[in-house]
């Protein structure tokens, strides 16, 4: 124990710079205490302690290293008289910095403490320290006035009682526990009682009858002694004037009246109506009510009494926070020349109403907050207070819903604003956090304080293209450097994390590098074709463009581009068969009737769409001659328009013009020499005509046999092609980068109106390095002129059954979808 005394002496001397009296050592031994509950650090210090008085080893009790105090910005903050206590940041000792007066801090409150916030940064930590200020007996009892005057009738009987105002002591506890002594006298005794409010009720008790003729005035000394050590005293002179008159004094119904009154009671409100009675008659029975001379001026400023009715009303503004209780001494005197007076006491207790809103302060704001900050990060400190009492002074804090924050209670009326869920700057760049403090009154009162919490960006978002896949087109034979399209990607991050640059994802296109065909501008995303493109060589080019931000580490994403090379009409129709190499001779019997099919002109166009849609025209014959032949506009079939007669020339020269639908159109011509002969048609021509029309000239057995052979051949080739295509597609996934993924078929032509037509269908799934495979689509609208006959429709139905679903009927049209399985198959299909 001697060691601790000596250590405390050295600590006090070091902190204050002077020798400490040993009388303070017991106080110092009680100065460092840990409170139960939330880990609050609690110390005690006596009031009136001098500058430098040791309070406690703050840093050591908090578990902080002395070497960390300065680098971590160790400091003490207090919202109530923060200059009273100070901490030495070199050794972490808390000491008294200025004179501490408990009565000035807390008045007569039973508890008096200084609440400190100990804050250290890097990382931020907050400790709550409570320093209890202990009362010492430094205030003597005090009477409100140095002399009290009482008027007592000489006729008053022994045991009569007369109220006397007691003393007050600013100290608390035992130091404010008063006892009284009255100077010795044979006429009076002092009776002290405790009422329900734990205050002393002093009364002078008459022991012996008074005689005004013997003694007109009595002077007594009343001494008040407190319970402190050492004791302190206060005195008041009692001047008793003996009156000569009345037999009976007015009497109140009871000596003490208790009234409860709301603090916001308006002026002129009735507090109580007193009623005193007097057994005398006449003028001695008439009573006048008044405040006793014991009533202070402060009380008179708050209340007023009607001298006739005894009504006490509110005169001034009442405030529970200023004063909670008023003791009003009332005298009731009769109107005798020598009046007798009755006494009572009205105790007015103010009831607190919720007339004070909470006060709130937000400190130590940590902003901006990284959007990847962990849950539980402390954002700010919140402190609240309310001057009201009871439930009216109990404050709770809340936040608006749907915020990623919460309030954590760290100590009484202290909260921490902490992160409750993950942040996303791209969704919300900042939050206006409004903290609402609400008391427990009815109705409650509240106050708000707002703070802006900014969310700092981290590179957690990759650039996102406006479209995951771009489908664009360019006409073939484009100029080098032609602008194709512009890709755009947006990064939801900010600043450098959102700065996007573009680049091609390099791959091989056949034997060439992708970068030799197209390029992309790094900043603008503009895609250019570096050289002219050829639709017949490369109808579809698929590649990827990457977008990468400038964050660390960088993030990126890709977008796919499908570049369709649109066809230009740069290929003229090409005739097939003997007609392509010169004139073709045919023999026709003169007996052939109208509608007899002579032959069929066949042609193909290397272009696509309308550019490959061919129409056939028969050039006009010599002037004045009407040709007995015609050609199908889209079929190329040459047939007779009427029965031949002797007037027709034996040799007919037919010139068929084949024209595509391009702009401008390209043409080719086929020349046919027809010899008219007598007799029946040749078997070959009859069979061909029968195959085209299935007329009455051919037998049904021959027609069905030809049809079945053609259907079986087509179906077999179609099944074989499907098998080969499925195998190539399965192997496509294992190919090099130059292979293209299968895609949705794209129709790049229009059907003819009311006729058979041939056009192309592009399937982007095939590799564009070798040019996309082609498939023909044959369509017919039976509702329009020049359509096939009912027999042809029956053929299509049979073909649909045998071709495994590749023949479809849509809106009255028959569609036969087939792959490029060779020129012979095309000719066979056109034969059908």
């Amino acid at each position: 124990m001697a060691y601790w005394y000596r250590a405390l002496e050295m600590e006090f001397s070091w902190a204050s710079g002077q020798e400490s009296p040993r009388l303070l050592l017991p106080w110092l031994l009680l100065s460092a205490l840990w409170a139960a509950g939330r880990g609050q650090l609690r110390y005690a210090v006596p009031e009136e302690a001098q500058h430098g008085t040791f309070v406690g080893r703050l840093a050591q009790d908090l578990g902080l290293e002395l070497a960390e105090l300065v680098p971590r910005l160790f400091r003490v903050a207090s919202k109530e008289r923060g200059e009273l206590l100070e901490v030495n940041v070199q050794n972490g000792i808390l000491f008294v910095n200025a004179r501490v007066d408990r009565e000035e801090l807390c008045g007569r409150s039973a508890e008096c403490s200084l609440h400190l916030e100990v804050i250290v940064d890097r990382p931020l930590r907050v400790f709550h320290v409570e320093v209890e200020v202990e009362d010492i007996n430094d205030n003597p009892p005090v009477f409100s006035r140095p002399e009290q005057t009482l008027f007592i009738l000489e006729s008053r009987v022994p045991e009569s009682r007369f109220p006397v105002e007691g003393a007050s002591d600013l100290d608390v506890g035992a130091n404010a526990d008063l006892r009284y002594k009255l100077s010795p006298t044979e006429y009076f005794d002092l009776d002290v009682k405790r009422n329900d409010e734990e205050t002393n009720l002093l009364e002078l008790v008459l022991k012996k009858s008074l005689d005004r003729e013997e003694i007109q005035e009595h002077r007594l000394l009343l001494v008040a002694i407190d319970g402190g050590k050492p004791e302190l005293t206060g005195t008041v002179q009692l001047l008793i004037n003996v009156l000569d008159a009345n037999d009976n004094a007015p009497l109140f119904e009871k000596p003490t009246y208790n009234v409860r009154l709301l603090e916001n009671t308006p002026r002129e409100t009735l507090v109580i109506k007193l009623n005193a009675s007097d057994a005398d008659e006449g003028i001695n029975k008439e009573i006048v009510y008044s405040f006793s001379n014991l009533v202070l001026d402060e009380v008179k400023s708050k209340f007023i009494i009607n001298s006739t009715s005894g009504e006490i009303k509110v005169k001034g503004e009442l405030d529970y926070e200023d004063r909670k209780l008023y003791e009003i001494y009332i005298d009731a005197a009769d109107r005798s020349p020598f009046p007798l007076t009755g006494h009572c006491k009205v105790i007015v207790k103010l009831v607190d109403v919720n007339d004070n809103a909470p006060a709130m302060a937000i400190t130590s704001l940590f902003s901006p907050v990284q959007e990847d900050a962990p849950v539980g990060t402390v954002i700010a400190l919140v402190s609240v207070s309310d001057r009201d009492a009871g439930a009216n002074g109990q404050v709770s804090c809340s936040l608006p819903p749907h915020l990623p924050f919460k309030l954590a209670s760290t100590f009484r009326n202290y909260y921490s604003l902490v992160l409750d869920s993950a942040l996303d700057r791209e969704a919300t760049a900042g939050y206006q956090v409004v903290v609402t403090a609400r008391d427990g009154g009815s109705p409650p009162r509240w106050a708000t304080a707002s703070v802006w919490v900014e969310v700092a960006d981290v590179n957690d978002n990759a650039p996102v293209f406006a479209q995951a896949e771009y489908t664009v087109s360019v006409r073939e034979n484009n100029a080098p450097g032609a602008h194709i399209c512009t890709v755009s990607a947006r990064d939801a991050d900010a600043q450098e994390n959102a700065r996007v640059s573009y680049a091609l994802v390099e791959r091989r296109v056949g034997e060439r590098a992708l970068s030799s065909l197209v390029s992309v501008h790094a900043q603008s995303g503009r895609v250019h074709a570096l050289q002219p493109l050829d639709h017949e060589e490369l109808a579809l080019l698929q590649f990827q463009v990457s977008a990468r931000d400038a964050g660390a580490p960088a993030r990126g994403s890709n977008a796919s581009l499908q570049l369709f090379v649109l066809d230009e009409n740069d290929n003229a129709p090409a005739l097939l068969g003997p007609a392509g190499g010169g004139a073709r001779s045919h023999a026709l019997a003169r007996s052939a009737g109208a509608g007899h099919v002579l032959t069929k002109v066949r042609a193909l166009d290397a272009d696509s769409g309308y550019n490959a849609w061919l129409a056939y025209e028969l050039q006009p014959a010599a002037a004045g001659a009407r040709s007995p032949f015609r050609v199908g506009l889209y079929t190329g079939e040459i047939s007779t328009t009427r029965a031949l007669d002797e007037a027709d020339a034996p040799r007919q020269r037919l010139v068929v013009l084949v024209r595509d639908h391009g702009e401008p159109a390209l043409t080719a011509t086929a020349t046919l020499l027809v010899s008219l002969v007598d007799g029946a048609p040749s078997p070959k021509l009859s069979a061909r005509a029968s195959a085209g029309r299935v007329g009455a000239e051919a037998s049904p057995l021959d027609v069905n046999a030809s049809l079945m052979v053609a259907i079986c051949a087509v179906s077999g080739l179609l099944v074989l092609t499907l098998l080969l295509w499925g195998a190539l597609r399965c192997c496509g996934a294992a190919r090099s980068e130059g292979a293209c993924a299968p895609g949705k078929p794209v129709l790049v032509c229009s059907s003819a109106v009311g006729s058979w037509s041939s056009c192309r269908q592009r399937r982007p799934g095939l590799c564009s390095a070798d040019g996309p495979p082609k498939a023909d689509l044959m369509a017919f609208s039976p509702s329009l002129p020049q359509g096939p006959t009912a027999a042809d429709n029956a053929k299509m139905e049979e073909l649909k059954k045998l071709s495994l679903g590749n023949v479809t009927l849509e809106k009255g049209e028959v569609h036969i979808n087939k792959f490029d399985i060779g020129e012979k198959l095309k000719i066979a299909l056109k034969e059908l």
Side-chain angles (χ1 to χ4, degrees):
M1 181 62 71
Y3 170 79
W4 288 106
Y5 269 72
R6 180 58 182 161
L8 290 173
E9 274 188 356
M10 293 175 64
E11 290 169 353
F12 175 76
S13 300
W14 184 91
S16 63
Q18 58 186 3
E19 292 296 328
S20 62
R22 290 183 178 263
L23 292 177
L24 291 177
L25 291 177
W27 293 108
L28 298 175
L29 289 173
L30 299 175
S31 62
L33 299 174
W34 281 98
R38 301 175 181 170
Q40 173 197 358
L41 194 60
R42 186 181 179 91
Y43 297 103
V45 63
E47 68 171 326
E48 302 297 337
Q50 299 301 314
H51 174 76
T53 300
F54 174 84
V55 178
R57 291 183 174 275
L58 186 58
Q60 178 179 334
D61 294 338
L62 293 177
L64 302 174
E65 297 294 333
L66 297 182
E68 298 177 340
L69 301 184
V70 174
R72 294 185 63 185
L73 301 180
F74 179 81
R75 62 191 184 278
V76 173
S78 172
K79 66 177 182 179
E80 43 186 11
R81 303 296 298 274
E83 75 280 2
L84 298 179
L85 300 174
E86 187 56 73
V87 65
N88 189 320
V89 296
Q90 303 299 327
N91 55 20
I93 292 178
L94 183 67
F95 62 93
V96 176
N97 189 43
R99 173 179 170 270
V100 181
D101 188 349
R102 188 183 188 280
E103 287 71 31
E104 181 181 352
L105 286 174
C106 307
R108 300 198 62 185
S109 176
E111 296 181 2
C112 185
S113 299
L114 292 172
H115 298 284
L116 306 177
E117 290 179 357
V118 180
I119 303 174
V120 292
D121 291 334
R122 306 170 187 170
L124 175 66
R125 293 187 65 188
V126 181
F127 305 91
H128 294 279
V129 179
E130 184 176 357
V131 179
E132 181 182 1
V133 180
E134 298 178 339
D135 183 59
I136 64 173
N137 193 22
D138 59 338
N139 291 282
V142 177
F143 290 89
S144 62
R145 62 194 73 196
E147 184 179 277
Q148 297 184 28
T149 302
L150 288 83
F151 297 89
I152 302 177
L153 191 67
E154 64 175 342
S155 61
R156 296 296 293 268
V157 296
E159 299 302 321
S160 296
R161 294 173 176 270
F162 308 94
V164 178
E165 182 186 12
S168 62
D169 196 325
L170 294 178
D171 295 321
V172 296
N175 295 332
D177 191 9
L178 303 181
R179 57 189 177 89
Y180 296 87
K181 288 173 56 178
L182 186 65
S183 58
T185 176
E186 61 180 325
Y187 290 97
F188 295 96
D189 198 0
L190 183 67
D191 185 16
V192 182
K193 294 181 179 178
R194 286 258 184 193
N195 58 16
D196 295 337
E197 288 70 42
E198 296 297 317
T199 61
N200 291 325
L201 181 62
L202 279 67
E203 291 180 321
L204 282 179
V205 182
L206 185 63
K207 296 192 298 181
K208 181 181 177 181
S209 297
L210 300 174
D211 188 355
R212 185 178 183 279
E213 287 70 24
E214 181 180 354
I215 303 176
Q216 295 183 0
E217 187 179 89
H218 295 265
R219 290 187 176 271
L220 303 176
L221 185 65
L222 179 61
V223 181
I225 308 167
D226 64 21
K229 294 182 181 180
E231 298 176 341
L232 299 178
T233 61
T235 60
V236 65
Q237 188 78 26
L238 300 180
L239 177 59
I240 303 172
N241 293 319
V242 181
L243 302 178
D244 185 31
N246 258 330
D247 298 326
N248 296 287
L251 293 176
F252 287 94
E253 294 175 353
K254 50 186 178 181
T256 303
Y257 296 87
N258 290 286
V259 180
R260 295 174 66 85
L261 201 63
L262 294 176
E263 64 170 321
N264 61 349
T265 301
R267 292 179 174 87
E268 299 299 325
T269 300
L270 178 65
V271 178
I272 191 173
K273 187 179 187 304
L274 299 175
N275 185 26
S277 61
D278 195 310
D280 295 326
E281 295 294 334
I283 193 172
N284 294 330
K285 190 180 180 68
E286 296 178 6
I287 298 174
V288 177
Y289 299 92
S290 63
F291 288 128
S292 170
N293 55 5
L294 302 178
V295 177
L296 302 177
D297 292 338
E298 179 189 358
V299 178
K300 292 180 180 179
S301 68
K302 303 294 183 182
F303 302 96
I304 189 173
I305 187 170
N306 188 304
S307 61
T308 303
S309 64
E311 292 181 347
I312 299 177
K313 294 184 178 181
V314 177
K315 178 183 178 182
E317 184 177 349
L318 304 177
D319 191 353
Y320 176 87
E321 286 71 41
D322 291 340
R323 186 166 179 176
K324 301 174 178 59
L325 181 143
Y326 293 92
E327 294 182 345
I328 308 174
Y329 294 92
I330 305 298
D331 291 341
D334 56 31
R335 293 184 181 274
S336 171
F338 302 97
L340 294 179
T341 305
H343 310 280
C344 75
K345 182 179 180 180
V346 178
I347 299 177
V348 179
K349 291 182 180 178
L350 296 185
V351 178
D352 182 53
V353 295
N354 195 21
D355 58 345
N356 290 282
M360 181 167 41
I362 299 179
T363 59
S364 301
L365 177 63
F366 178 66
S367 180
V369 182
Q370 294 285 338
E371 62 176 319
D372 59 350
V375 173
T377 300
V378 177
I379 308 300
L381 304 178
V382 181
S383 60
V384 295
S385 61
D386 195 310
R387 293 183 60 203
D388 293 320
N392 296 333
Q394 295 176 359
V395 182
S396 61
C397 290
S398 63
L399 295 176
H402 312 303
L403 285 180
F405 307 101
K406 69 177 181 179
L407 288 173
S409 178
T410 58
F411 183 59
R412 180 178 58 194
N413 292 337
Y414 289 89
Y415 297 85
S416 294
L417 180 65
V418 299
L419 186 61
D420 188 43
S421 60
L423 299 175
D424 186 2
R425 190 207 64 83
E426 290 68 44
T428 306
Y431 296 88
Q432 188 71 37
V433 181
V434 179
V435 183
T436 302
R438 188 184 303 268
D439 60 29
S442 181
R445 298 177 69 92
W446 64 86
T448 60
S450 63
V451 61
W452 175 257
V453 179
E454 181 182 354
V455 181
D457 182 57
V458 297
N459 192 24
D460 57 345
N461 289 280
V464 177
F465 282 91
Q467 300 173 226
E469 181 176 306
Y470 291 82
T471 300
V472 294
S473 61
V474 63
R475 292 195 173 275
E476 65 176 330
N477 305 318
N478 57 282
H483 173 249
I484 297 174
C485 68
T486 300
V487 296
S488 175
R490 179 183 176 274
D491 197 309
D493 294 319
Q495 297 175 354
E496 289 299 311
N497 296 333
R499 186 161 57 86
V500 179
S501 59
Y502 305 91
L504 282 177
V505 178
E506 187 63 79
R507 71 176 186 87
R508 303 294 297 177
V509 180
E511 299 298 326
R512 293 176 293 181
L514 176 65
S515 57
S516 66
L517 298 175
V518 292
S519 68
V520 61
H521 192 267
Q523 282 72 42
S524 65
R526 291 171 61 88
V527 180
H528 297 271
L530 298 181
Q531 60 184 9
L533 301 176
D534 186 1
H535 171 81
E536 287 71 38
E537 178 186 357
L538 184 64
L540 173 64
L541 178 60
Q542 292 180 319
F543 59 95
Q544 288 185 325
V545 175
S546 68
R548 185 171 297 272
D549 59 32
R555 301 174 70 94
S557 62
N558 295 342
S560 298
L561 271 79
Q562 292 190 93
L563 176 59
F564 287 92
V565 181
L566 300 182
D567 184 54
E568 290 284 345
N569 194 22
D570 56 351
N571 291 280
L575 295 171
L576 302 179
R584 183 177 177 182
S585 298
H586 294 273
L588 178 62
R590 286 183 179 271
S591 59
H596 179 81
V597 176
L598 175 63
T599 187
K600 190 174 190 178
V601 177
R602 303 181 185 89
L604 290 179
D605 196 310
D607 295 321
S608 299
Y610 275 93
N611 296 331
W613 184 19
L614 303 181
Y616 300 87
E617 301 176 9
L618 190 62
Q619 292 293 90
R626 189 173 68 90
S627 176
F629 299 97
R630 69 177 178 184
V631 64
L633 179 60
Y634 300 110
T635 61
E637 289 183 348
I638 298 176
S639 60
T640 58
T641 60
R642 57 181 173 79
L644 298 176
D645 54 28
E646 295 298 330
D648 292 319
R651 294 183 61 84
Q652 301 280 341
R653 185 174 185 274
L654 305 180
V655 178
V656 178
L657 178 67
V658 184
R659 183 192 308 272
D660 59 27
H661 284 72
E663 290 292 340
L666 300 179
T667 62
T669 58
T671 302
L672 286 85
L673 300 177
V674 180
S675 299
L676 301 182
V677 295
D678 295 327
S682 65
K684 178 179 180 181
L685 291 179
S686 298
R688 181 170 299 161
S690 299
R693 292 190 306 149
V694 195
E697 299 91 339
S699 67
L701 183 61
D702 294 338
V703 172
N704 291 338
S706 300
L707 180 60
M708 291 303 297
V709 170
I711 289 174
C712 292
V714 171
S715 300
L717 290 174
L718 183 61
V719 171
L720 179 61
T721 303
L722 288 175
L723 293 176
L724 292 176
W725 177 75
L728 291 174
R729 187 172 182 181
C730 293
C731 297
R735 287 185 179 180
S736 63
E737 192 177 4
C740 306
K744 189 176 181 180
V746 179
L747 185 63
V748 293
C749 70
S750 300
S751 64
V753 178
S755 66
W756 292 89
S757 64
S758 174
C759 60
R760 299 175 182 230
Q761 191 176 23
R762 301 300 181 185
R763 187 172 298 273
L766 302 181
C767 181
S768 59
D770 299 326
K774 302 178 180 179
D776 287 348
L777 174 64
M778 299 183 70
F780 174 70
S781 300
S783 61
L784 298 177
Q786 298 185 2
T789 64
D792 293 326
N793 289 335
K795 293 180 184 179
M796 293 301 102
E797 292 297 331
E798 294 180 11
L799 186 59
K800 178 179 177 182
K801 295 177 182 179
L802 297 175
S803 59
L804 302 178
N806 289 314
V807 178
T808 58
L809 291 174
E810 296 179 4
K811 298 181 180 180
E813 292 183 355
V814 180
H815 295 267
I816 305 176
N817 295 293
K818 55 189 177 53
F819 295 97
D820 189 0
I821 52 178
E823 293 298 331
K824 293 182 178 180
L825 181 58
K826 288 183 181 179
I827 295 173
L829 287 175
K830 290 187 178 182
E831 290 277 349
L832 293 176

